[in-house]
Amino acid sequence: MSKTIKCIICNSSYHTCDCPKDLHTWKVLCDTTNHYQIYLVLSDYNFGNITKARAKQMLAKLDISNYQNWGTNASKQITKILDDNNSTSNKIQKKK
Amino acid sequence: MAETFNISELVPYKFRSISFSSITDGKVLARLTQIESPQLNTTTENDSVVDAIGTEIMKLYRSKKAQFTAQNSLFNLDLYATQLGTQKKVASSASKILSPAEERLKVANGKVTLANKPAGEFRYIYLLKQNNIYTILEKDTTASAGKFAINNTEISVETASVPDGSILWIPYEYESENAISIANYSDKFPEVVSFNASVIFKDPCTEKDILGFIVAKRAKIDPSSIELALTKDGKHPFTIDLFKPYCDEDGELYKFIICQ
């Protein structure tokens, strides 16, 4: 069934469908595979699975243009990762 | 010389089992052992022959049909799959079944842990209050007001809006290797099977058990109406039409075999 939902990364509305759920599971959360990859990076960073430096490195390979205008938690997290002076630290964050 | 076994009157006692087998490879598709209300019906159409003033002088019979109906005391998954014209899928470690799950978990230290790793993505979880859905929490990269984050099976929530002790209701799907599934497809119908009923009769004089069989080489479960009362005392009814094998010169619909 077709439905309109918002991307948890960029807040844009998009259409999705339950039918190909097995193949397009990312569409449950995001409007594009690029944004889903950003979700995975930020989620891994949040849970301390990757370092800030690694997250920054991975984000550099993804399209994060206009992230300042997204107005989502993802946008705030990207700002924090990119602006942080200690972003080169290799220390894995402790799990909360 | 031994006395010939030739008996005419029997007391039907109970059905030991009914089985449906594939006519292609003989494999049993379903076996039922809790049979209630068995009924074997045979009908025949007739044409009346009348004389000049309309008096019936003869009846000519044709189109003999046979049908067996009964109900299994328990809901039988193999019977249900046969009725739907599909196959029962049994999960294994190599072939898992995507299964729905729902959990009610109490928040402790801003976290809850699911029993299974969710397959794919899910977007919403629900905060319950007095067993009703009070707030919907949406997945995000971090836990915040109205948002939750998930790492493998661990879900984090913001403790200000979802304090410890809150109950979360989490519906999701996971891949199970201990599951069975039967799907009803709109374009699949029952296949032709052979029918075998094993019946125990009693000798009216000695009350000795006498085993009987009803055998039909060609039969098909009637899918036109499958009504299941999914209650603890609900039964699993079924109807099966018995046909003559197309190539059979004798036109045998079914036969009874009684063994001493």
Side-chain angles (χ1 to χ4, degrees):
Chain A
M1 186 184 282
S2 175
K3 54 191 175 189
T4 305
I5 51 178
K6 285 188 174 179
C7 174
I8 65 166
I9 297 298
C10 70
N11 213 23
S12 302
S13 294
Y14 65 100
H15 293 284
T16 186
C17 173
D18 286 335
C19 306
K21 208 172 178 180
D22 293 346
L23 296 173
H24 300 133
T25 183
W26 55 269
K27 280 196 170 178
V28 173
L29 301 177
C30 300
D31 58 349
T32 62
T33 49
N34 178 65
H35 284 177
Y36 185 63
Q37 284 174 296
I38 294 172
Y39 162 76
L40 294 176
V41 172
L42 297 180
S43 194
D44 272 348
Y45 169 67
N46 176 48
F47 283 100
N49 299 332
I50 55 172
T51 61
K52 197 171 279 187
R54 181 74 181 133
K56 190 175 182 180
Q57 205 178 32
M58 290 167 92
L59 286 174
K61 291 179 183 170
L62 298 168
D63 180 7
I64 53 170
S65 47
N66 294 323
Y67 76 90
Q68 299 93 336
N69 303 325
W70 291 344
T72 57
N73 278 342
S75 155
K76 288 177 205 161
Q77 246 186 310
I78 292 173
T79 306
K80 199 176 160 194
I81 292 168
L82 298 184
D83 291 352
D84 197 314
N85 292 331
N86 299 323
S87 62
T88 51
S89 164
N90 282 329
K91 195 178 168 189
I92 301 249
Q93 291 185 340
K94 274 189 181 174
K95 285 190 178 182
K96 289 172 188 175
Chain B
M1 189 179 163
E3 197 178 329
T4 306
F5 174 69
N6 186 0
I7 194 165
S8 297
E9 291 187 313
L10 296 161
V11 179
Y13 177 53
K14 67 173 181 183
F15 272 64
R16 201 164 65 164
S17 70
I18 287 179
S19 59
F20 310 119
S21 307
S22 164
I23 59 163
T24 50
D25 57 12
K27 216 178 275 175
V28 172
L29 301 172
R31 181 171 178 267
L32 314 172
T33 59
Q34 304 296 321
I35 302 299
E36 292 181 27
S37 314
Q39 186 103 19
L40 180 60
N41 300 316
T42 308
T43 58
T44 307
E45 289 179 21
N46 67 75
D47 295 319
S48 290
V49 179
V50 295
D51 67 7
I53 59 169
T55 307
E56 190 176 70
I57 55 171
M58 196 184 289
K59 260 188 184 169
L60 298 173
Y61 292 96
R62 59 181 173 80
S63 304
K64 195 181 268 188
K65 286 181 185 169
Q67 195 176 61
F68 182 87
T69 59
Q71 56 187 21
N72 202 53
S73 307
L74 309 174
F75 176 46
N76 186 300
L77 292 172
D78 294 317
L79 171 62
Y80 196 46
T82 309
Q83 284 178 309
L84 301 179
T86 185
Q87 286 187 333
K88 185 173 83 173
K89 281 186 194 161
V90 180
S92 64
S93 55
S95 171
K96 294 177 182 172
I97 289 176
L98 192 63
S99 308
E102 58 166 39
E103 294 188 43
R104 285 174 87 255
L105 299 170
K106 193 182 273 191
V107 178
N109 301 320
K111 288 181 174 44
V112 293
T113 304
L114 298 173
N116 308 288
K117 188 181 177 208
E121 295 291 356
F122 66 103
R123 192 166 174 128
Y124 302 107
I125 65 171
Y126 304 87
L127 173 63
L128 299 183
K129 270 200 182 167
Q130 293 174 334
N131 213 26
N132 295 311
I133 291 173
Y134 180 71
T135 309
I136 299 174
L137 304 176
E138 193 175 21
K139 188 184 270 189
D140 206 336
T141 51
T142 54
S144 60
K147 309 279 184 184
F148 74 94
I150 182 168
N151 182 29
N152 208 358
T153 57
E154 186 184 271
I155 288 178
S156 306
V157 291
E158 189 213 32
T159 45
S161 54
V162 187
D164 284 357
S166 302
I167 303 291
L168 293 175
W169 177 59
I170 306 155
Y172 64 99
E173 287 181 317
Y174 71 103
E175 289 192 319
S176 173
E177 54 186 71
N178 296 305
I180 294 167
S181 83
I182 295 173
N184 188 358
Y185 300 101
S186 56
D187 59 347
K188 296 254 171 78
F189 299 98
E191 62 176 292
V192 178
V193 294
S194 63
F195 171 86
N196 188 315
S198 168
V199 192
I200 297 172
F201 295 95
K202 290 277 186 192
D203 184 309
C205 300
T206 63
E207 292 191 19
K208 222 172 97 181
D209 286 352
I210 296 171
L211 194 57
F213 295 92
I214 307 166
V215 178
K217 291 176 192 163
R218 221 174 125 83
K220 197 180 245 190
I221 289 258
D222 181 0
S224 57
S225 174
I226 302 167
E227 291 183 14
L228 282 179
L230 293 171
T231 56
K232 64 180 182 297
D233 55 353
K235 311 290 181 186
H236 192 157
F238 65 94
T239 299
I240 185 158
D241 294 311
L242 312 180
F243 303 115
K244 74 161 193 139
Y246 177 66
C247 307
D248 189 352
E249 287 181 6
D250 298 333
E252 179 187 292
L253 282 176
Y254 61 86
K255 70 179 164 197
F256 269 85
I257 302 168
I258 310 295
C259 313
Q260 192 174 25

